[in-house]
Amino acid sequence: PDSSEGGSGPTAETENRNTGNRIRNRDSPASRFSVYFCNTSRSRPDPRDKKRHDNGQPPQHTTKTVRDPAPQNHKPEREEMTLDEFLQYAQQRKPFEEPEMLRLMNEMSDEARRITCRLNAEYHTPDEIRALLSELFGRRVDPSLRVFPPFYTDFGKNIHLGREVFINACCHFQDHGGVTIGDGCQIGHDVVFATLDHLIDPARRKTTCPAPIVLGRNVWVGAHATILKGVTIGDNAIVAAGAVVTKDVPADTIVGGVPARIIRRIGDRE
């Protein structure tokens, strides 16, 4: 407390001492940090504020949103493809490359394997076999159809069988491109119908391309034969056991070998 007359204010000595303390505190590291922090954290004025002020508008602080540039050559994917759209596309014999096609193929493969596992896992009566095949094909099969399991397919929705058809055990149907078997055909065991092949270009080797297989009426295909995509076999023809058929077979002929060639015409003398 001040002992001078008539007042309680600080003496000259006290004021000088406080002033010195303020000077020393201002030069301390903590004080310098505080001053620097306050100066650097102060927001800079928007140069547009002056113009707003001249127009009688209050200054505004805006934030500019930076958007990512749109990807170049972006091709939006379709969410899904229907089975009918897939089958129509397969008729064009173009490669299966689009993501929605591959997704549908995977889904159909899973469904086909679930059904064929049930078909092949235990004994079924002929009527039960036809019921399971109807579920697999997505349509009712003819009551005259006879199939000896096991029966294999990785698609199942593009198989078309006529009346009085017999299919022996262990046949494989790769039917994405379509397999049509006419009335009265007899298919030996372990026959392969392959409607897909892979592209020759190594860069696109994983891509598959479809084409249909068509058998006319009363065709007999021997055991272990392989029918490749795009082949049409005429009425009453015979494919010898173990043959690999890469080209169309005329009606009323017998073919055999690898690749299959005409051996003779039916009705000619041996």
Side-chain angles (χ1 to χ4, degrees), residues 12-82:
E13 181 180 355
T14 303
E15 185 175 353
N16 291 337
R17 184 169 60 252
N18 292 338
T19 302
N21 290 337
R22 287 198 298 271
I23 294 173
R24 284 192 298 272
N25 291 338
R26 184 178 61 188
D27 294 336
S28 66
S31 177
R32 288 197 299 272
F33 174 78
S34 175
V35 171
Y36 174 78
F37 179 79
C38 292
N39 287 339
T40 56
S41 63
R42 186 179 303 159
S43 60
R44 296 184 180 182
D46 189 336
R48 293 170 294 183
D49 285 350
K50 184 177 183 304
K51 184 176 180 180
R52 296 191 184 98
H53 178 72
D54 294 341
N55 295 333
Q57 300 176 0
Q60 299 180 4
H61 297 281
T62 59
T63 302
K64 184 177 181 181
T65 302
V66 179
R67 299 183 182 275
D68 294 333
Q72 298 296 324
N73 300 326
H74 175 68
K75 184 178 180 181
E77 294 183 1
R78 292 180 51 178
E79 292 186 359
E80 62 182 47
M81 170 178 268
T82 66

Side-chain angles (χ1 to χ4, degrees), residues 139-268:
R139 72 188 71 86
R140 191 174 187 83
V141 301
D142 191 85
S144 62
L145 173 66
R146 296 179 64 224
V147 174
F148 287 177
F151 178 94
Y152 302 102
T153 179
D154 55 359
F155 189 64
K157 296 299 186 287
N158 211 1
I159 300 174
H160 307 271
L161 307 178
R163 298 176 61 254
E164 302 293 339
V165 170
F166 171 71
I167 300 174
N168 214 326
C170 298
C171 288
H172 297 248
F173 285 71
Q174 186 192 57
D175 60 293
H176 301 80
V179 177
T180 300
I181 297 180
D183 296 344
C185 288
Q186 309 293 301
I187 311 300
H189 66 269
D190 204 22
V191 171
V192 175
F193 297 90
T195 67
L196 295 178
D197 62 9
H198 293 264
L199 300 184
I200 295 176
D201 181 5
R204 302 172 66 197
R205 186 63 52 80
K206 291 182 179 179
T207 302
T208 55
C209 191
I213 294 173
V214 179
L215 274 62
R217 295 177 293 115
N218 299 320
V219 174
W220 172 23
V221 181
H224 302 285
T226 298
I227 317 297
L228 298 185
K229 76 167 196 174
V231 167
T232 296
I233 301 177
D235 295 348
N236 305 316
I238 298 174
V239 177
V244 177
V245 184
T246 61
K247 298 180 180 180
D248 290 352
V249 176
D252 300 302
T253 59
I254 301 173
V255 299
V258 181
R261 293 181 173 86
I262 296 176
I263 298 174
R264 68 181 179 90
R265 292 188 60 85
I266 297 174
D268 292 346

Side-chain angles (χ1 to χ4, degrees), residues 95-112:
F96 294 136
E97 294 184 289
E98 299 300 326
E100 64 268 17
M101 297 177 188
L102 303 180
R103 282 195 294 268
L104 180 66
M105 291 171 70
N106 288 333
E107 292 172 4
M108 294 297 99
S109 177
D110 286 342
E111 179 180 328

